Amino acid sequence: ESVTAFGCLVSDMWLGEFDCVSPEDFHSVLGKRYPTFSKRTQQDAQEFLICVLNELHEALKKVRAQIKRRCITNAKASGGSVSETSIITQLFEGQLSYDITCLECKTTTDRPESFTVLSLPIPSKSACSLQDCLKCFFQQDTLTWNNQIHCSCCGTKQDAAVKATLIKAPQIIIFHLKRFEWQGKHERKLSTAICYPLSNLDLSPYSSPLCCQGAEYSLCAVANHSGFLDDGHYTAFCKHSVTKNWYSFDDAQITEIPNSSVQTDTAYLLFY
């Protein structure tokens, strides 16, 4: 089972008995559930991450529900419901609220949406900051043509203004920098240098007043992608939760790096 394989992987990493630990067993087990990732071909780290989080969530919520059933002997007391929460949702799940305003009658509706990974557009081809990416994501947009909404008040399809707000911030927030985009029939990679803070990331400008009050995020890991679409290489930077030192993981080569080396123009996934 994938959860058992993941548990063994984490255990081997923290026991410190090996110079490096291969996730081969976990990858093999997950590949049986998701055949796309069993192939020795280029795959997307963000898509793989979402599959891993979903797989762990589905398995761990069942365990949580089983424990809950054992604790509650009276079936009526539990209401017969199966818990949809797990350690994954507790750590990684956030919630957005989309305010959608009909531009004809000005009626506004709220649409909540949960997320575990926030995919951010890159607004510049030369250089920008993580804050620029966040501003671009949370700015008001207009839905027209094929993206029109069906307004319940007007009874027809109408143009609309939509704006996202963060109403629940997760304990760990993951940003996916959208470096791959379609240009006509071809996909290309954006190599924009993006400046991101190692500490004191403030999400309050994009949040509802009751969310993120006094909450500032610190960077704990980065997944990097170097190379091109069909010929790339993934590495990772991770901050040791005890010593607070940063390490570079490049296949079997693990080296300690200074804080200044954590900022790179190959960053693809940011974990805060």
Side-chain angles (χ1 to χ4, degrees), residues 51-62:
C51 284
V52 170
L53 292 177
N54 284 344
E55 183 71 9
L56 295 178
H57 166 65
E58 289 299 324
L60 292 170
K61 79 175 184 183
K62 290 174 185 174

Side-chain angles (χ1 to χ4, degrees), residues 22-37:
S22 171
E24 213 165 326
D25 290 343
F26 174 62
H27 177 261
S28 175
V29 171
L30 204 76
K32 291 172 185 173
R33 290 274 289 125
Y34 301 93
T36 301
F37 298 114

Side-chain angles (χ1 to χ4, degrees), residues 57 84-94 116 168 170-171:
H57 166 65
E84 287 297 316
T85 63
S86 70
I87 186 66
I88 301 300
T89 54
Q90 289 167 12
L91 290 176
F92 298 101
E93 188 176 88
T116 50
K168 181 197 168 193
Q171 192 170 328

Side-chain angles (χ1 to χ4, degrees), residues 43-267:
Q43 301 296 337
D44 187 79
Q46 182 245 357
E47 293 175 4
F48 180 74
L49 172 65
I50 289 173
C51 284
V52 170
L53 292 177
N54 284 344
E55 183 71 9
L56 295 178
H57 166 65
E58 289 299 324
L60 292 170
K61 79 175 184 183
K62 290 174 185 174
V63 173
R64 186 184 174 95
Q66 287 168 0
I67 293 170
K68 190 176 178 182
R69 286 193 195 101
R70 289 195 201 109
C71 294
I72 302 171
T73 54
N74 185 348
K76 290 181 181 177
S78 68
S81 63
V82 176
S83 174
E84 287 297 316
T85 63
S86 70
I87 186 66
I88 301 300
T89 54
Q90 289 167 12
L91 290 176
F92 298 101
E93 188 176 88
Q95 197 167 47
L96 299 169
S97 176
Y98 287 94
D99 288 345
I100 303 170
T101 304
C102 172
L103 295 180
E104 180 65 29
C105 68
K106 308 304 180 188
T107 300
T108 299
T109 55
D110 297 335
R111 194 189 80 199
E113 189 175 287
S114 297
F115 69 89
T116 50
V117 179
L118 213 53
S119 291
L120 302 180
I122 300 174
S124 170
K125 289 180 175 59
S126 53
C128 64
S129 68
L130 180 61
Q131 290 289 359
D132 293 330
C133 299
L134 286 164
K135 283 175 191 170
C136 188
F137 179 89
F138 285 100
Q139 73 182 1
Q140 183 170 291
D141 199 7
T142 304
L143 303 176
T144 59
W145 297 97
N146 293 335
N147 295 318
Q148 284 183 322
I149 62 154
H150 185 275
C151 177
S152 55
C153 290
C154 297
T156 56
K157 282 194 168 186
Q158 298 289 350
D159 290 354
V162 59
K163 191 176 190 307
T165 304
L166 186 64
I167 57 173
K168 181 197 168 193
Q171 192 170 328
I172 300 170
I173 191 163
I174 306 170
F175 297 117
H176 162 230
L177 303 173
K178 295 169 75 173
R179 291 197 177 276
F180 301 103
E181 67 172 17
W182 287 98
Q183 193 173 46
K185 293 181 180 179
H186 304 285
E187 196 175 18
R188 65 176 189 136
K189 181 184 176 184
L190 295 174
S191 298
T192 305
I194 299 168
C195 180
Y196 43 89
L198 269 61
S199 60
N200 303 323
L201 174 66
D202 182 14
L203 296 180
S204 59
Y206 321 105
S207 310
S208 61
L210 298 176
C211 175
C212 296
Q213 283 187 337
E216 290 185 335
Y217 286 84
S218 293
L219 190 68
C220 58
V222 182
N224 303 297
H225 181 273
S226 56
F228 307 98
L229 289 170
D230 302 320
D231 182 25
H233 180 60
Y234 283 110
T235 60
F237 299 150
C238 300
K239 188 178 184 179
H240 196 292
S241 58
V242 180
T243 65
K244 306 302 180 187
N245 296 327
W246 280 93
Y247 291 86
S248 168
F249 294 80
D250 187 351
D251 291 342
Q253 188 175 358
I254 298 113
T255 52
E256 187 175 341
I257 58 172
N259 288 11
S260 56
S261 296
V262 178
Q263 180 72 59
T264 170
D265 59 4
T266 56

